[in-house]
């Protein structure tokens, strides 16, 4: 894999959290390169630092040291507006607990990335959101609130929201973690299908079977990639 | 659908909290709006009374002693030392002052002391056309306003005390020397007014001047200004300049006292309303603050979707502003109707209809929106400073 094909690169990332006064190092110098269109799974024992690493990769958490390069740009040097723009345009995040806004319908939650400003959501964007809901099999439940959906359905809405904006990198932290195995399998199928879109995917999972769907499996242990 | 949808949907979802806030703010607005409407009507009513209750300014010859008085004019002095003003000259001078446009009525008066069946009585010569303007509250209980020059209008108490009825003749036996055999006739009896007019007999000024041989003489002149707010003090000083040998007094007594109490009540209610609004503001602040803590995850999601800090700030501010805006609209309209009820209870509805001013409605709503957004400034800032990781990392 040539370096210039690498879309997102983490170099020697460290991050520690101070717990009860004593600092605990969650990441002890982790490096990872993700190529455009590549599907990477992160596996490892609980507490090994996977979530922390994904948060750093997705710009949601600032590392203590190390470099994060996106498209060759050092994100530590980027301004807040630039980071916001990257999060908005290029990154999509799916969490273990399908974070939807409880007072917006499935369709509106899917449209959320387009609701950043005063400019109203366009017809085209709406059609696109509906398409994404269709793709995750929820077209008939577009007008439901999250509370009226099952856990698996909520996670699928979160996936639709991640798909709606043509992101370049999708981060998924245990997307099937809160779902039963059958529902998890459907969600996994969807994520595997997304690869066809040319999207890079970084997925944390405890499920070895799902991890094997990836192009590459990265194993973490005690704050380090092994 | 845009960023405001997020704010409004949340407000709708948390409808109990939203309606509670709405209630408090609307209540504050209702009381302020109703208060300002009612006090305006009451104030206007009092102003009208201020004119109708009698003269604002009394112009009289300079005198030292004050004993029996009518309209502030000392009757007692007249027995010994009677001084007069010249009616035409005084009126001409009053008409010439710069603030003439603020003067509604000039009412000259001549007081003649008489005896009716042995009882001393005062006959006050007036120009009835002007006096009627000055004393809008006069109602004639029996008969009518005098039509004949020798006609008399008798105050209710005087009529009772002197036993005067319609058509009774009142011979003029004046100490100051009147034409022999002058006969006045009772043509009307006033309903009680609660003023000094109840105790006197009122006759035609021109006729009395003639029969008492005091042509163009008057004892004093009452001057009514058009309003309570107009520059009485300036009018007085201008009158003093043109009429240097006179005493000029302002008589605004009771009505002004009432005006003062209305103002006091107004201030009181205004401060209560402000307290209500302040309470509402702190309610908004506190509830927003707890909402920010509850909604940390939401904020994290929004930030992870590329919402800027400013957008997050805007969502929380917009929610607060929406509450204020709605409370302003509802409160203003409700206050408008509540003031009708209050005026009905106060039996003041006959006054001119309240103008519904859309511009004030809009202004009220905007001011309230501003107030609630200010109240949520800190919570919104807190929300904006939440880091996405803080909100999303689950342990
Ligand atoms: N916000 C935080 N404050 C304090 N310590 C934290 C925080 N987040 C993570 N840690 C610590 O960092 C280490 C790595 O946590 P992390 O959540 O990255 O693990 P993980 O690999 O995702 O585990 P799991 O598989 O259970 O999700 C853990 O020891 C954890 O206690
Ligand atoms: Mg984790």
């Amino acid at each position: 894999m040539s370096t210039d094909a690498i879309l997102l690169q983490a170099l020697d990332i460290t991050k520690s959290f101070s717990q009860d006064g004593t600092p605990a190092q969650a990441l002890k110098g982790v490096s990872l390169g993700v190529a455009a269109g590549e599907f990477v799974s992160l596996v490892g024992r609980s507490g090994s630092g996977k979530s922390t690493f994904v948060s750093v990769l997705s710009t949601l958490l600032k590392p203590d040291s190390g470099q994060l390069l996106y498209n060759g740009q050092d994100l530590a040097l980027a301004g807040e507006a630039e980071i916001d723009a990257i999060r908005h345009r290029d990154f999509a995040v799916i969490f273990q607990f399908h974070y939807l806004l409880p007072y917006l319908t499935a369709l509106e939650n899917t449209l959320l990335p387009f609701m950043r400003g005063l400019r109203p959501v366009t017809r085209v964007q709406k059609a696109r959101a509906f398409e994404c809901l269709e793709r995750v099999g929820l077209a008939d439940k577009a007008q439901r609130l999250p509370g009226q959906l099952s856990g698996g359905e909520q996670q699928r809405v979160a996936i639709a929201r991640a798909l709606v904006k043509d992101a370049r990198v999708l981060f998924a932290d245990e997307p099937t973690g809160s779902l039963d195995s059958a529902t998890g399998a459907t969600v996994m199928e969807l994520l595997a299908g997304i690869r066809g879109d040319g999207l890079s995917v970084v997925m944390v999972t405890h499920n070895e079977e799902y991890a094997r769907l990836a192009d590459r499996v990265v194993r973490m242990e005690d704050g380090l990639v092994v | 659908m845009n960023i405001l949808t997020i704010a409004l949907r949340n407000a709708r979802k948390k409808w109990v909290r939203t309606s509670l806030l709405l209630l408090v703010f609307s209540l504050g607005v209702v009381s302020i709006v109703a208060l300002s409407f009612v006090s305006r009507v009451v104030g206007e009513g009092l102003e009208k009374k201020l004119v109708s209750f009698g003269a604002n300014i009394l112009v009289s010859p300079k005198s030292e002693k004050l004993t029996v008085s009518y309209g502030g004019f000392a009757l007692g002095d007249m027995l010994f030392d009677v001084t007069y003003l010249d009616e035409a000259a005084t009126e001409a001078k009053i008409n010439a002052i710069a603030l003439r446009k603020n003067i509604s009525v000039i009412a000259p008066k001549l007081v003649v002391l008489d005896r009716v069946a042995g009882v001393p009585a005062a006959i006050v010569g007036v120009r009835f056309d002007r006096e009627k303007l000055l004393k809008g509250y006069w109602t004639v209980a029996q008969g009518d306003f005098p039509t004949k020059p020798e006609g008399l209008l008798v105050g209710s108490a005087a009529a009772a005390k002197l036993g005067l009825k319609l058509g009774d003749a009142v011979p003029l036996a004046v100490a100051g020397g009147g034409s022999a055999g002058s006969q006045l006739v009772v043509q009307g009896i006033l309903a009680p007014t609660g003023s000094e007019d109840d105790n006197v007999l009122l006759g035609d000024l021109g006729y009395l001047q003639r029969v008492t041989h005091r042509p163009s003489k008057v004892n004093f002149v009452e001057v009514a200004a058009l309003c309570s707010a107009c520059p009485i003090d300036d009018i007085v000083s201008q009158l003093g300049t043109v009429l240097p040998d006179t005493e000029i007094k302002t008589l605004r007594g009771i009505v002004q006292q009432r005006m003062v109490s209305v103002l006091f009540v107004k201030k009181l209610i205004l401060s209560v309303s402000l307290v209500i609004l302040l309470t509402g503001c702190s309610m908004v602040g506190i509830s927003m603050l707890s909402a920010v803590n509850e909604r940390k995850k939401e904020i994290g999601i929004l930030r992870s979707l590329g919402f800027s800090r400013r957008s997050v700030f805007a969502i929380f501010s917009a929610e607060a502003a929406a509450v204020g805006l709605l409370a302003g609209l509802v409160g203003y309209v409700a206050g408008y109707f509540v003031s009708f009820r209050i005026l009905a209870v106060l039996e003041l509805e006959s006054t001119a209809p309240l103008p519904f001013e859309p511009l004030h409605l809009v202004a009220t709503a905007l001011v309230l929106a501003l107030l609630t957004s200010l109240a949520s400034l800190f919570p919104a800032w807190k929300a904006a400073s939440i880091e996405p990781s803080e909100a999303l990392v689950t342990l």
Side-chain angles (χ1 to χ4, degrees):
Chain A
M1 198 185 309
S2 65
T3 8
D4 51 16
I6 286 182
L7 187 61
L8 183 66
Q9 184 154 40
L11 293 170
D12 207 18
I13 301 284
T14 69
K15 179 76 193 177
S16 55
F17 298 100
S18 64
Q19 216 140 32
D20 311 322
T22 50
Q25 206 163 21
L27 299 177
K28 300 172 176 170
V30 198
S31 299
L32 179 73
V34 182
E38 192 184 15
F39 190 158
V40 178
S41 5
L42 272 180
V43 295
R45 284 223 308 276
S46 183
S48 56
K50 306 181 297 292
S51 294
T52 308
F53 191 41
V54 166
S55 296
V56 169
L57 286 173
S58 58
T59 73
L60 300 183
L61 186 66
K62 278 207 174 67
D64 295 339
S65 71
Q67 255 190 328
L68 185 64
L69 302 171
Y70 175 69
N71 245 346
Q73 187 191 5
D74 187 346
L75 294 186
L77 305 176
E80 195 153 272
E82 249 171 299
I83 301 268
D84 283 340
I86 290 170
R87 283 180 194 160
H88 174 57
R89 202 182 51 226
D90 296 344
F91 287 3
V93 189
I94 299 171
F95 307 97
Q96 180 173 353
F97 298 101
H98 45 75
Y99 293 139
L100 301 178
L101 302 200
Y103 42 86
L104 296 184
T105 63
L107 184 65
E108 286 163 344
N109 262 294
T110 309
L111 280 166
L112 207 49
F114 303 130
M115 287 163 55
R116 281 200 314 168
L118 286 170
R119 187 141 42 94
V121 168
T122 64
R123 213 179 276 271
V124 176
Q125 289 168 331
K126 237 184 215 173
R128 164 105 182 130
F130 200 76
E131 243 176 67
C132 293
L133 280 177
E134 233 166 17
R135 196 164 159 188
V136 300
L138 287 173
D140 54 330
K141 290 169 180 166
Q143 297 308 327
R144 295 227 192 144
L145 292 172
Q148 300 164 328
L149 296 171
S150 74
E153 285 167 340
Q154 291 182 38
Q155 193 59 294
R156 275 143 71 194
V157 173
I159 293 172
R161 184 175 67 196
L163 294 179
V164 80
K165 58 186 188 178
D166 278 321
R168 299 189 64 189
V169 190
L170 175 69
F171 302 94
D173 188 355
E174 297 186 45
T176 61
S178 61
L179 306 176
D180 66 62
S181 54
T183 320
T186 359
V187 166
M188 229 15 250
E189 246 168 69
L190 276 169
L191 284 177
I194 288 167
R195 293 160 74 184
D197 297 10
L199 202 73
S200 305
V201 179
V202 179
M203 181 180 76
V204 174
T205 183
H206 281 290
N207 188 313
E208 293 291 335
E209 193 187 322
Y210 295 159
R212 260 179 268 122
L213 291 170
D215 298 320
R216 187 150 57 106
V217 179
V218 174
R219 201 164 293 275
M220 285 188 71
E221 209 165 280
D222 200 18
L224 287 167
V225 169
V226 292
Chain B
M1 258 184 277
N2 59 15
I3 193 166
L4 298 178
T5 314
I6 302 172
L8 297 181
R9 285 294 160 77
N10 182 60
R12 206 175 65 182
K13 180 94 190 287
K14 304 264 163 62
W15 63 271
V16 174
R17 187 185 70 122
T18 306
S19 32
L20 204 69
L21 289 176
L22 266 178
L23 189 74
V24 171
F25 275 103
S26 304
L27 223 62
V29 177
V30 165
S31 67
I32 289 178
V33 169
L35 165 78
S36 79
F37 270 127
V38 169
S39 68
R40 189 156 89 194
V41 169
V42 171
E44 272 166 12
L46 280 181
E47 218 149 79
K48 270 193 203 123
K49 269 191 195 138
L50 200 52
V51 175
S52 66
F53 253 139
N56 291 328
I57 301 165
L58 185 78
V59 179
S60 61
K62 280 223 159 75
S63 72
E64 314 283 276
K65 299 173 225 163
L66 283 170
T67 39
V68 191
S69 76
Y70 167 74
F73 177 74
L75 300 182
D77 293 347
M78 294 175 20
L79 298 172
F80 313 102
D81 173 27
V82 185
T83 44
Y84 296 103
L85 294 171
D86 184 81
E87 183 186 359
T90 309
E91 222 181 294
K93 281 178 183 162
I94 295 173
N95 274 326
I97 68 164
L99 285 168
R100 174 63 182 92
K101 62 175 193 312
N102 283 329
I103 291 172
S104 57
V105 186
I106 301 170
K109 293 191 175 60
L110 175 70
V111 182
V112 177
L113 290 183
D114 192 16
R115 278 177 180 279
V116 178
V119 183
I123 302 173
V124 180
V126 298
R127 301 276 178 215
F128 276 110
D129 51 340
R130 306 218 189 144
E131 209 62 22
K132 275 191 263 183
L133 287 179
L134 193 65
K135 291 165 180 170
Y137 55 90
W138 271 5
T139 43
V140 180
Q142 294 170 47
D144 211 336
F145 280 102
T147 47
K148 293 184 255 182
E150 67 272 25
L152 277 180
L153 185 63
V154 184
S156 57
K161 202 153 77 182
L162 303 172
L164 290 173
K165 294 182 294 297
L166 287 184
D168 282 355
V170 177
L172 198 60
V174 203
S179 307
S182 295
Q183 285 272 25
L184 294 158
V185 183
V186 178
Q187 280 200 295
I189 293 173
L190 270 180
T193 62
S195 72
E196 292 151 326
D197 292 325
D198 292 350
N199 305 317
V200 298
L201 291 70
L202 298 142
D204 180 66
L205 176 60
Y207 178 78
L208 285 171
Q209 284 170 339
R210 206 168 60 247
V211 299
T212 59
H213 309 296
R214 296 171 213 170
S216 194
K217 292 268 191 299
V218 293
N219 294 104
F220 61 101
V221 178
E222 286 181 301
V223 178
L226 269 177
C227 57
S228 66
C230 62
I232 293 283
D233 294 339
D234 293 345
I235 295 174
V236 167
S237 80
Q238 288 184 7
L239 288 175
T241 317
V242 294
L243 299 164
D245 295 327
T246 60
E247 202 164 324
I248 296 160
K249 281 184 269 178
T250 58
L251 301 167
R252 298 201 277 176
I254 306 166
V255 177
Q256 213 172 31
Q257 206 52 48
R258 281 191 204 180
M259 208 72 142
V260 168
S261 40
V262 166
L263 272 176
F264 173 74
V265 172
K266 202 166 156 176
K267 271 186 196 156
L268 193 74
I269 301 179
L270 198 69
S271 21
V272 170
S273 312
L274 282 180
V275 168
I276 295 177
L277 286 184
L278 270 174
T279 311
C281 279
S282 41
M283 272 177 70
V284 164
I286 292 167
S287 80
M288 280 284 167
L289 206 58
S290 71
V292 167
N293 286 326
E294 272 167 37
R295 294 169 72 187
K296 269 189 173 176
K297 270 190 187 150
E298 275 179 37
I299 296 164
I301 296 166
L302 294 174
R303 295 301 312 277
S304 78
L305 291 172
F307 281 63
S308 61
R309 288 182 197 280
R310 212 170 336 133
S311 301
V312 171
F313 185 90
I315 288 171
F316 281 84
S317 302
E319 200 182 315
V323 169
L325 201 71
L326 201 59
L329 294 177
V330 170
Y332 188 90
V333 174
Y336 181 74
F337 288 106
V338 163
S339 46
F340 279 109
R341 289 292 314 146
I342 296 175
L343 290 175
V345 168
L346 295 177
E347 290 171 349
L348 279 167
E349 38 196 341
S350 58
T351 26
L354 296 172
F356 188 86
E357 289 171 74
L359 215 65
H360 286 184
L361 171 71
V362 172
T364 308
L366 289 183
V367 166
L368 258 283
L370 187 72
L371 206 66
T372 47
S373 349
L374 283 178
S376 69
L377 214 54
F378 178 67
W381 172 80
K382 280 271 287 209
S385 53
I386 286 176
E387 291 294 335
S389 55
E390 208 183 313
L392 295 173
V393 169
T394 46
L395 283 171

